[in-house]
C-alpha cells in the first residue's frame, strides 16, 4: 500500500461546481498535513495546511480525520483558474514529507 | 524577494556523464530539500538538510547520487554516472525552520534528460 493515496482523477467539472478530493495516509504517527497545488510544468505551491479542527480559506475547506487517517479538500464555486493538480502531503515525522500522486482537476467553461 | 533559485533549468546529457544541479534557497531559511518528480513515481523526497547538515538521505536512490550544502545559501545534487532512468524534474525547496509545519517554497526545477 502506498503511504499516501489520492483519488486518481482526473476531475472534469463545470465552472461554479463544488468538487471534493480525498486522501488517505498509512502512517498513524503522521504529524502534519497539507494540500499543495501544481500547475502544468510548474513547481508545487502550498494551497493550505490542514488542521485537526478543519480549516477554511475562502472557497477552500480542508478537513482531517486522524482516526480514519483521511484528509479532504473541498472547492466551492470552482473557477477556471482552479485547474491544476492537487497534491496531498503528509509529514510522517521530522521533515519526512510524503507527497501523494496528485489529483488533476479541469474546470470547464 | 527572490524565491528559490535552481540552475540549470534544463539539462540534456549522455549516459555516463556527471550531472550537477544547483540550488540557492531563500535567504534566512534553515531547511533545504531535494525532490525528484516523474510521471511514474510522482514527487519523491531525496534528501533534506537542516542548518546545512544532511538529516535524512534515505530517499537517495543509489550511491550514484550525492548532495552537499557547503553553506546556507548553496546546495548541489550530483549524479555520477548518470543513467537514462535518472531523467526527471528535480526540485529544490526551502522552508523557514525544521518544525515540520512550515510551508515549503519550491524552485522552478531542473528538467534532466539523460540519453
Amino acid at each position: 500500500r502506498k503511504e499516501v493515496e489520492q483519488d486518481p482523477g482526473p476531475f472534469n467539472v463545470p465552472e461554479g461546481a463544488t468538487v471534493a478530493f480525498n486522501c488517505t495516509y498509512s502512517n498513524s504517527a503522521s504529524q502534519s498535513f497539507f494540500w499543495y497545488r501544481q500547475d502544468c510544468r510548474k513547481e508545487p505551491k502550498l494551497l493550505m495546511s490542514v488542521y485537526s479542527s478543519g480549516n477554511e480559506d475562502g472557497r477552500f475547506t480542508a478537513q482531517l480525520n486522524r482516526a480514519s487517517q483521511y484528509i479532504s479538500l473541498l472547492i466551492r464555486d470552482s473557477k477556471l483558474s482552479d485547474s491544476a493538480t492537487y497534491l496531498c502531503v503528509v509529514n510522517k515525522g521530522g521533515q519526512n514529507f510524503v507527497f501523494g500522486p496528485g489529483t488533476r482537476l479541469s474546470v470547464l467553461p | 524577494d527572490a524565491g528559490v533559485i535552481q540552475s540549470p533549468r534544463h539539462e540534456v546529457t549522455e549516459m555516463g556523464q556527471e550531472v550537477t544541479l544547483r540550488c540557492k534557497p531563500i535567504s534566512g531559511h534553515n531547511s533545504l530539500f531535494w525532490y525528484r518528480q516523474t510521471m511514474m513515481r510522482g514527487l519523491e523526497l531525496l534528501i533534506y538538510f537542516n542548518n546545512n547538515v544532511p538529516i535524512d538521505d534515505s530517499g537517495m536512490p543509489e550511491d550514484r547520487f550525492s548532495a552537499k550544502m557547503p553553506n546556507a545559501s548553496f546546495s548541489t545534487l550530483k549524479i555520477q554516472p548518470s543513467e537514462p532512468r535518472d531523467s526527471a524534474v528535480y526540485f529544490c525547496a526551502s522552508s523557514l525552520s525544521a518544525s515540520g509545519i512550515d510551508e515549503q517554497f519550491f524552485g522552478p526545477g531542473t528538467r534532466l534528460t539523460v540519453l
Side-chain angles (χ1 to χ4, degrees):
Chain A
R1 182 185 172 189
K2 291 184 179 178
E3 291 187 271
V4 179
E5 298 192 75
Q6 295 186 239
D7 290 332
F11 283 54
N12 299 314
V13 302
E15 269 188 289
T18 296
V19 61
F21 301 140
N22 300 315
C23 170
T24 57
Y25 60 96
S26 61
N27 189 330
S28 59
S30 298
Q31 300 171 356
S32 52
F33 310 88
F34 312 85
W35 284 100
Y36 276 71
R37 167 197 170 125
Q38 187 173 24
D39 293 304
C40 188
R41 300 181 74 85
K42 296 287 190 179
E43 70 273 20
K45 293 184 179 179
L46 178 69
L47 177 66
M48 59 197 304
S49 300
V50 186
Y51 303 119
S52 296
S53 55
N55 48 300
E56 187 174 310
D57 183 2
R59 298 181 293 109
F60 299 85
T61 301
Q63 295 205 316
L64 168 65
N65 184 323
R66 285 186 184 270
S68 302
Q69 295 177 204
Y70 168 90
I71 306 159
S72 66
L73 177 67
L74 183 76
I75 305 176
R76 290 181 300 278
D77 188 23
S78 52
K79 312 290 185 190
L80 296 176
S81 57
D82 294 334
S83 297
T85 296
Y86 290 83
L87 302 165
C88 175
V89 185
V90 173
N91 180 357
K92 60 180 185 177
Q95 290 177 281
N96 281 294
F97 293 94
V98 181
F99 280 70
T103 301
R104 198 171 78 206
L105 171 66
S106 291
V107 180
L108 308 173
Chain B
D1 287 340
V4 175
I5 299 172
Q6 290 188 247
S7 65
R9 294 290 304 275
H10 302 272
E11 177 82 27
V12 180
T13 190
E14 292 188 344
M15 182 173 64
Q17 297 297 305
E18 177 179 299
V19 175
T20 299
L21 311 180
R22 297 173 176 80
C23 175
K24 177 179 168 55
I26 293 173
S27 178
H29 281 194
N30 294 314
S31 295
L32 182 140
F33 307 82
W34 281 102
Y35 290 89
R36 176 174 70 174
Q37 187 172 37
T38 61
M39 286 294 292
M40 290 297 295
R41 300 175 67 89
L43 199 63
E44 302 173 284
L45 177 62
L46 300 178
I47 184 172
Y48 71 90
F49 298 80
N50 286 337
N51 297 313
N52 316 338
V53 176
I55 302 301
D56 189 335
D57 65 355
S58 59
M60 296 284 260
E62 299 172 32
D63 290 346
R64 298 184 296 106
F65 286 69
S66 62
K68 294 182 180 179
M69 192 166 185
N71 57 62
S73 59
F74 184 66
S75 177
T76 61
L77 178 68
K78 186 175 293 187
I79 308 172
Q80 166 64 14
S82 57
E83 295 183 4
R85 60 192 167 127
D86 302 330
S87 297
V89 180
Y90 290 81
F91 288 105
C92 175
S94 70
S95 67
L96 187 60
S97 75
S99 66
I101 62 173
D102 291 332
E103 176 177 2
Q104 292 183 63
F105 293 84
F106 283 76
T110 295
R111 188 171 296 274
L112 173 66
T113 302
V114 183
L115 303 174

